Amino acid sequence: MSAVPGLKEDCEELLGAFQQADTVRFERFAELWRERRFHTVFYGRIRALERNKLTKKTLELAQQYFLPPYSFQIRVGALYLLYGLYNAQLCKPKQKIRIALKDWPEIQKFQQDLLDSQHYDAAYIFRRLQLARAFHFTAMPKLLTYRTKKKIEENYFKEEFKDPSNRVNSLITNDVLEELMNIHDHYQKMKCVISADKSQPDKALSLIKDDFVVNLKDMTLEHQEWQQNRMKLFQNAKETDETENKKKEGALLESEGAERANALARIKYRSYSAVVEASKSRRHRQVQLESSEAGSSCGRSPIQSRKSSRRPQPARRRGEMQVAKETAAWHIGMPIITEENSDE
Amino acid sequence: SIDMLMSSEKEEDPDVIPEDSSLLTLRIRKKELERREETIIVDRACRQETLTYEMESHATGKRPDNPTDLIEEGELLLTLNIFYPVIFQKHKDHKPYQTVLVLGSQKLTELRDSISCVSDLQIGGEFSSQPDQAPEHISKDLYKSAFFYFEGIFYNDKRYPECRDLSRTIIEWSESHDRGYENLQSVKMEDYVFNDLSLKIGFPYLYCHQGNCEHVIIITDIRLIHHDDCLDRNLYPLLIKKHWLCTRKCFVCKMYTARWVTNRDSLAPQDPCFFCDVCFRMLHYDAEGNKLGEFLAYPYVDPGIFN
């Protein structure tokens, strides 16, 4: 049977928190449960057939923690978890918890232990489950299925790692811009040739905006910047969601990584712009160079703005390499136009 | 009082996933739901899903009218997967099967009667010259023998005098040379109930009928009967899952299920060709019932007839 995605992590997290709480009282467990609002784990628009299957798998997963060799505290936690899941499920009639024949003596021993150590709340919970007829007494613990997985599981891509799909950029590439520039120049020259005054085209012939190529490039850059900002905002929002458990160093560590990535990007950029300067000698590329410089200034400001928003942090952490790589990959995607201009 | 600790205070709609959930499960599920909303135009249970769900749950909680039919506590419930014999190529990878629930105290013959296989309904013989005289006897009535094979013992159906011991061939074969099988026995099916058998879960066993139609049987689960199960003895063996087979339709009207198949038919565009009863007669016979053209016609029973 394929597993419910994410469920194992959630259960282990809850049991881990329960273990850290270092108690076997049900009130504590109920607090942790309510904190996480675990009863919502069955929510979502699921139809009846799927819901039955899902609940069965959930209970099966939780039941595994109820048996040895897990520690006593984990087993009590698993008992509470089973109780909670059994009552929170939305199936009618309720799906049952499977207990295999071979496990039953151990569970009875477990119950005896509970009574002996006077954990009456756990024993009471177990008794409640029994009275509610929550168990199926089976020969084998797992229900066999004979379906091979037909669905190819889609890879769950982490959003941050994916390069933001930049359709505008892939359409208006530098080659296209160059071509446009050349054609534009040629067109202007042709207009000059056929008009009376040889140095500039006739007024009657000005049918297009002269600087439209530059405008186009500016707009593209703007769009790219906007996208970067949006990704940044999105990631910031996600960070505040996800990293509430992590310590502050986590966010700062990313700023450290970003610092280094910034430095790397700046160095790279400077080395490339040197090449750009050298090709000033070609006259017909003149406008291109200017626009690239204009673009480069546009491109630089986002780096600077991002840099100023981070706080410097001298401390080093173990995981920073990976984070630095991630943000570096992100940054490399940014000054696309300026870098590619250097390919001449 | 303890229950209240679990549920939330305010009214919640279980269909809506809360926005700020800390559970990974819900986040993933939400993404999946959003993806479905974008890609699926109408998100509704299709026929197959409704059928599957209905079959699974139609008998839960049923109680018999007659109290003597009530199943007692301590009764065992077995879940068997009975596989169809492979007819189509596309089934070679995932063999279709039906799932049957059987009580421990039921006889093997009851299971045998409940297995519906299309080969039982075949009518043998060529009937192009006398289409109205296609006999009513189906193969099930003509060839009544069958056996189960569990753990080295063949359980033969000997209820009717026509039933032969199909397993005798196999036993003789295994005894003729030392082929490495321990002694295989042959007993009568009607004398045994499931409680008497010793079985392995997940191990393939065999059901053979009609002489050569073989079905693999696998037991997937044994458990004690539960309060929420169907407690009416008459409804067992209970079918809870069945594979849906598409029926072949008549070549002419494309509406009715095929009842005749013709070979070497000069009037038909392909060989073999399927017809429903009406189209078959209209094409191949004139108003007086004379046969037109050359062909061989056989009555056809579609495997999807049990849908």
Side-chain angles (χ1 to χ4, degrees):
Chain A
M1 270 191 180
S2 54
V4 179
L7 188 66
K8 193 163 192 289
E9 286 83 3
D10 285 333
C11 285
E12 287 185 348
E13 199 261 321
L14 177 60
L15 286 176
F18 184 65
Q19 192 177 36
Q20 292 213 335
D22 209 20
T23 168
V24 286
R25 296 276 76 80
F26 180 69
E27 290 89 23
R28 188 80 189 93
F29 183 84
E31 269 172 42
L32 292 170
W33 172 283
R34 267 199 306 271
E35 241 174 68
R36 287 162 185 72
R37 300 186 60 225
F38 217 79
H39 67 284
T40 55
V41 78
F42 294 114
Y43 281 13
R45 233 183 15 249
I46 313 176
R47 288 197 291 266
L49 186 68
E50 183 71 28
R51 197 167 51 216
N52 279 354
K53 217 162 59 152
L54 188 86
T55 317
K56 236 187 254 185
K57 287 189 205 168
T58 313
L59 287 174
E60 189 184 306
L61 182 72
Q63 178 246 10
Q64 285 171 10
Y65 295 105
F66 185 44
L67 304 167
Y70 289 101
S71 73
F72 182 76
Q73 198 180 18
I74 293 285
R75 291 178 72 181
V76 177
L79 172 65
Y80 296 152
L81 181 67
L82 278 171
Y83 181 69
L85 287 173
Y86 181 76
N87 284 324
Q89 65 174 297
L90 305 167
C91 298
K92 283 185 173 30
K94 288 195 187 293
Q95 294 291 327
K96 313 289 186 281
I97 306 170
R98 290 174 66 91
I99 302 215
L101 186 62
K102 63 176 170 65
D103 298 325
W104 186 242
E106 284 167 14
I107 294 183
Q108 286 194 307
K109 204 154 56 88
F110 180 67
Q111 195 189 13
Q112 197 53 42
D113 281 344
L114 287 177
L115 287 172
D116 291 338
S117 25
Q118 298 189 342
H119 295 307
Y120 292 125
D121 51 0
Y124 175 70
I125 298 273
F126 187 63
R127 191 107 176 88
R128 276 287 286 252
L129 277 177
Q130 274 183 307
L131 283 176
R133 298 189 175 102
F135 296 115
H136 266 168
F137 299 101
T138 70
M140 288 286 126
K142 273 198 182 198
L143 188 60
L144 294 178
T145 45
Y146 282 88
R147 290 207 75 106
T148 50
K149 270 211 295 242
K150 273 186 179 167
K151 247 186 358 178
I152 305 169
E153 278 187 7
E154 286 174 16
N155 246 327
Y156 169 61
F157 288 123
K158 210 164 146 62
E159 281 297 319
E160 291 90 3
F161 290 139
K162 243 188 347 186
D163 230 344
S165 58
N166 210 337
R167 288 179 127 115
V168 177
N169 257 25
S170 56
L171 189 61
I172 317 275
T173 58
N174 300 299
D175 293 337
V176 170
L177 279 177
E178 251 186 66
E179 276 298 308
L180 280 175
M181 207 64 227
N182 291 341
I183 295 175
H184 186 71
D185 284 343
H186 199 61
Y187 175 65
Q188 297 287 70
K189 286 204 197 81
M190 290 305 288
K191 284 206 285 194
C192 288
V193 163
I194 62 173
S195 48
D197 180 1
K198 293 296 179 207
S199 63
Q200 66 176 20
D202 271 343
K203 284 291 177 278
L205 288 176
S206 62
L207 297 161
I208 60 164
K209 289 209 178 93
D210 280 345
D211 51 356
F212 92 99
V213 180
V214 183
N215 279 348
L216 182 63
K217 192 199 57 53
D218 284 340
M219 278 197 277
T220 323
L221 265 180
E222 233 180 81
H223 168 85
Q224 202 182 13
E225 264 179 52
W226 166 81
Q227 204 174 32
Q228 299 289 336
N229 285 337
R230 198 172 67 106
M231 278 294 294
K232 190 176 57 129
L233 274 175
F234 178 65
Q235 205 186 31
N236 278 344
K238 267 190 107 169
E239 274 173 21
T240 48
D241 270 355
E242 287 181 6
T243 62
E244 58 189 351
N245 291 340
K246 286 195 200 148
K247 324 223 181 341
K248 274 270 167 60
E249 285 95 54
L252 298 179
L253 117 85
E254 202 184 295
S255 75
E256 235 269 356
E259 270 277 0
R260 294 182 70 250
N262 280 334
L264 277 171
R266 257 179 287 127
I267 294 171
K268 258 195 186 174
Y269 167 74
R270 253 184 260 127
S271 64
Y272 283 139
S273 57
V275 178
V276 167
E277 302 286 344
S279 56
K280 223 185 239 177
S281 53
R282 286 142 127 208
R283 216 182 50 109
H284 72 283
R285 303 276 195 207
Q286 192 71 25
V287 183
Q288 189 73 2
L289 270 180
E290 284 180 24
S291 63
S292 80
E293 293 206 11
S296 67
S297 61
C298 275
R300 211 199 294 226
S301 48
I303 303 184
Q304 285 176 343
S305 63
R306 202 170 289 113
K307 180 179 167 204
S308 57
S309 68
R310 303 265 193 237
R311 302 183 298 284
Q313 177 57 246
R316 285 195 173 272
R317 294 280 181 270
R318 195 159 35 100
E320 82 184 73
M321 290 313 294
Q322 205 239 344
V323 181
K325 227 188 327 177
E326 165 191 344
T327 40
W330 195 20
H331 280 279
I332 285 173
M334 195 199 45
I336 287 182
I337 293 185
T338 53
E339 274 183 26
E340 277 188 33
N341 278 337
S342 66
D343 285 346
E344 307 150 23
Chain B
S1 59
I2 295 198
D3 263 312
M4 302 252 283
L5 288 176
M6 289 298 176
S7 353
S8 68
E9 297 77 19
K10 52 192 186 306
E11 281 303 308
E12 271 181 3
D13 183 11
D15 279 346
V16 173
I17 297 184
E19 284 297 322
D20 54 349
S21 177
S22 60
L23 297 174
L24 183 62
T25 322
L26 283 182
R27 283 204 293 273
I28 298 180
R29 195 178 295 159
K30 187 155 188 202
K31 279 214 177 75
E32 183 61 30
L33 269 181
E34 277 164 17
R35 191 188 67 89
R36 279 167 67 113
E37 258 170 53
E38 280 170 33
T39 52
I40 301 180
I41 303 176
V42 177
D43 197 2
R44 206 179 53 204
C46 62
R47 281 193 306 177
Q48 318 283 358
E49 194 181 322
T50 322
L51 174 72
T52 320
Y53 178 65
E54 277 297 313
M55 290 201 75
E56 252 184 42
S57 55
H58 75 285
T60 39
K62 282 218 173 112
R63 300 286 180 268
D65 301 322
N66 190 347
T68 53
D69 289 334
L70 191 68
I71 300 175
E72 288 152 9
E73 247 183 83
E75 182 76 58
L76 282 178
L77 192 68
L78 290 97
T79 316
L80 309 175
N81 282 356
I82 304 171
F83 289 78
Y84 300 144
V86 169
I87 311 176
F88 303 111
Q89 289 283 25
K90 66 181 178 183
H91 287 156
K92 275 198 174 152
D93 294 321
H94 307 279
K95 264 189 154 179
Y97 59 91
Q98 44 178 324
T99 309
V100 172
L101 293 178
V102 152
L103 296 173
S105 58
Q106 286 191 300
K107 291 203 271 209
L108 296 180
T109 44
E110 293 178 49
L111 174 66
R112 194 241 160 169
D113 293 333
S114 74
I115 298 179
S116 48
C117 174
V118 69
S119 58
D120 277 337
L121 305 172
Q122 302 290 348
I123 304 171
E126 203 271 317
F127 292 104
S128 56
S129 321
Q130 58 276 15
D132 298 321
Q133 288 170 25
E136 298 304 311
H137 314 301
I138 55 178
S139 303
K140 189 165 188 172
D141 303 327
L142 290 174
Y143 310 112
K144 291 209 183 72
S145 339
F147 71 81
F148 284 107
Y149 172 77
F150 292 118
E151 292 294 314
I153 305 177
F154 291 92
Y155 300 87
N156 286 285
D157 191 358
K158 287 286 180 54
R159 288 175 289 174
Y160 309 98
E162 302 92 49
C163 297
R164 295 190 294 157
D165 186 1
L166 296 173
S167 58
R168 203 182 50 207
T169 341
I170 305 178
I171 297 179
E172 281 170 5
W173 168 84
S174 83
E175 282 170 1
S176 59
H177 302 287
D178 181 20
R179 299 188 196 264
Y181 297 102
E182 299 90 40
N183 52 335
L184 303 168
Q185 303 165 25
S186 165
V187 297
K188 287 210 260 187
M189 195 196 281
E190 52 270 22
D191 294 338
Y192 287 83
V193 292
F194 277 97
N195 279 334
D196 301 332
L197 307 174
S198 55
L199 300 165
K200 293 192 231 183
I201 294 191
F203 191 82
Y205 297 116
L206 194 69
Y207 167 63
C208 177
H209 65 134
Q210 299 288 322
N212 64 353
C213 182
E214 297 175 349
H215 301 249
V216 173
I217 297 190
I218 299 187
I219 305 185
T220 50
D221 187 29
I222 305 179
R223 62 174 174 83
L224 288 174
I225 198 87
H226 191 273
H227 179 260
D228 281 343
D229 293 326
C230 169
L231 295 180
D232 186 353
R233 190 176 282 277
N234 293 328
L235 292 175
Y236 285 94
L238 181 66
L239 190 64
I240 53 173
K241 180 172 168 18
K242 190 192 219 2
H243 187 87
W244 174 282
L245 290 165
C246 291
T247 58
R248 269 199 241 265
K249 302 286 189 292
C250 164
F251 190 81
V252 179
C253 60
K254 307 272 200 291
M255 269 204 320
Y256 293 105
T257 312
R259 296 256 323 271
W260 290 91
V261 61
T262 57
N263 288 110
R264 300 215 290 254
D265 192 347
S266 47
L267 300 165
Q270 62 190 26
D271 191 335
C273 193
F274 297 95
F275 297 97
C276 68
D277 205 39
V278 174
C279 297
F280 176 69
R281 287 175 203 277
M282 277 194 348
L283 177 63
H284 294 94
Y285 301 92
D286 62 15
E288 281 87 42
N290 301 320
K291 179 171 159 179
L292 306 169
E294 283 299 314
F295 60 93
L296 302 167
Y298 305 93
Y300 175 73
V301 181
D302 193 271
I305 202 169
F306 295 113
N307 285 348

